[in-house]
């Protein structure tokens, strides 16, 4: 997939009505400091369309990015940030759950995990929650550039085991710095949303 156009189309807060989109959606979930905004910017080939912050826990909305007028990247609120109150975390959780349960066009959920660390209790809970809502999350193991090459296989195994992933579940190591994993993620998005088949059909 070549991204030629990307724009932030809609921002939904806790009380907002979620859009009734007609285009396929892929959602991105992850802990507050996992590098989600950096990854979305890297996928879109933009420096700062997805707002990054030096303060984790800043994303408190569901952000819809329209890509090539063909699909949406949906940025879900970061979870697990210690300085946020229990009440606030509960509100974000309900907002994410409402989206997962009501979106008619959601085709895939990507869960970001920091490859340097074993999955936290929050990561495991989010993984199980996504599965409970009927999706097999694709795991993106971020911050790959922070590891030595010799450490990667061991950490990939630790993430897979820590989440209790099935053998067939997909995990993609990724670096926003080097863009390693970017093409693999975009190819998978194209496949999971049916866009690759649509392009083939239009060429027939």
């Amino acid at each position: 997939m070549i991204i030629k156009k990307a724009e932030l189309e809609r921002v939904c807060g806790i009380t907002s009505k979620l859009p009734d989109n007609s285009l396929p959606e892929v959602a991105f979930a992850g802990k507050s400091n996992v590098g989600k905004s950096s990854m979305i910017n890297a996928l879109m080939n933009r420096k700062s369309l997805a707002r990054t912050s030096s303060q984790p826990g800043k994303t408190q909305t569901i952000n819809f990015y329209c890509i090539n007028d063909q699909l949406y990247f949906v940025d879900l609120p970061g979870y697990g940030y210690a300085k946020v109150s229990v009440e606030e975390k509960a509100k974000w959780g309900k907002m994410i759950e409402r989206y997962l349960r009501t979106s008619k066009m959601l085709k895939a959920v990507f869960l970001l995990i920091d490859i340097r660390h074993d999955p936290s209790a929050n990561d495991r809970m989010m993984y199980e929650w996504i599965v409970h809502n009927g999706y097999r999350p694709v795991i993106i193991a971020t911050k790959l550039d922070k590891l030595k090459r010799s450490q990667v296989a061991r950490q990939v195994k630790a993430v897979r085991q820590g989440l209790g992933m099935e053998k067939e579940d997909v995990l993609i190591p990724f670096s926003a710095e080097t863009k390693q994993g970017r093409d693999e993620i975009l190819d998978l998005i194209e496949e999971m949303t049916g866009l690759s088949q649509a392009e083939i059909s239009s060429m027939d």
Side-chain angles (χ1 to χ4, degrees):
M1 178 191 289
I2 298 169
I3 293 182
K4 297 177 180 176
K5 182 181 177 185
E7 56 188 6
L8 177 60
E9 187 172 288
R10 185 148 184 176
V11 175
C12 293
I14 288 164
T15 58
S16 303
K17 184 180 184 297
L18 292 169
D20 190 12
N21 289 326
S22 58
L23 297 175
E25 300 168 359
V26 293
F28 300 95
K31 213 157 41 176
S32 300
N33 56 353
V34 78
K36 186 155 51 68
S37 297
S38 297
M39 188 216 67
I40 292 172
N41 281 326
L43 292 183
M44 297 189 296
N45 230 0
R46 302 291 192 275
K47 285 190 176 177
S48 57
L49 186 54
R51 287 162 285 187
T52 57
S53 174
S54 57
Q55 293 176 273
K58 206 84 188 282
T59 305
Q60 302 177 18
T61 53
I62 299 178
N63 300 330
F64 290 80
Y65 297 91
C66 189
I67 309 297
N68 290 349
D69 296 323
Q70 290 180 305
L71 77 152
Y72 288 97
F73 286 177
V74 183
D75 184 8
L76 300 175
Y79 58 83
Y81 187 49
K83 290 186 181 178
V84 175
S85 70
V86 173
E87 292 82 3
E88 200 68 24
K89 285 179 186 173
K91 286 179 185 175
W92 295 356
K94 284 179 182 173
M95 184 160 56
I96 295 170
E97 186 173 32
R98 180 163 61 105
Y99 170 72
L100 291 178
R101 286 188 171 170
T102 62
S103 172
K104 295 171 186 167
M105 298 305 295
L106 181 59
K107 304 300 182 186
V109 181
F110 291 79
L111 177 60
L112 280 63
I113 305 287
D114 189 330
I115 197 170
R116 299 172 298 174
H117 310 296
D118 290 356
S120 67
N122 279 323
D123 290 328
R124 290 193 296 275
M125 185 172 71
M126 179 57 76
Y127 178 82
E128 289 164 7
W129 198 18
I130 294 168
V131 171
H132 178 71
N133 278 283
Y135 299 92
R136 294 305 308 184
V138 175
I139 304 304
I140 300 178
T142 61
K143 310 199 179 185
L144 178 62
D145 52 285
K146 308 290 186 190
L147 284 185
K148 293 176 183 172
R149 193 172 292 179
S150 60
Q151 299 173 303
V152 173
R154 185 183 69 215
Q155 286 307 114
V156 164
K157 186 178 179 182
V159 171
R160 293 188 75 95
Q161 288 181 340
L163 292 174
M165 294 175 69
E166 302 290 340
K167 189 180 282 188
E168 65 272 15
D169 289 341
V170 178
L171 183 150
I172 302 174
F174 174 79
S175 166
E177 292 293 320
T178 68
K179 306 293 192 293
Q180 186 173 337
R182 178 180 183 269
D183 290 346
E184 196 177 344
I185 295 167
L186 289 175
D187 287 348
L188 191 59
I189 288 172
E190 199 171 53
E191 183 185 324
M192 295 175 94
T193 55
L195 289 179
S196 54
Q197 290 302 315
E199 286 175 12
I200 290 167
S201 299
S202 68
M203 292 168 66
D204 289 344

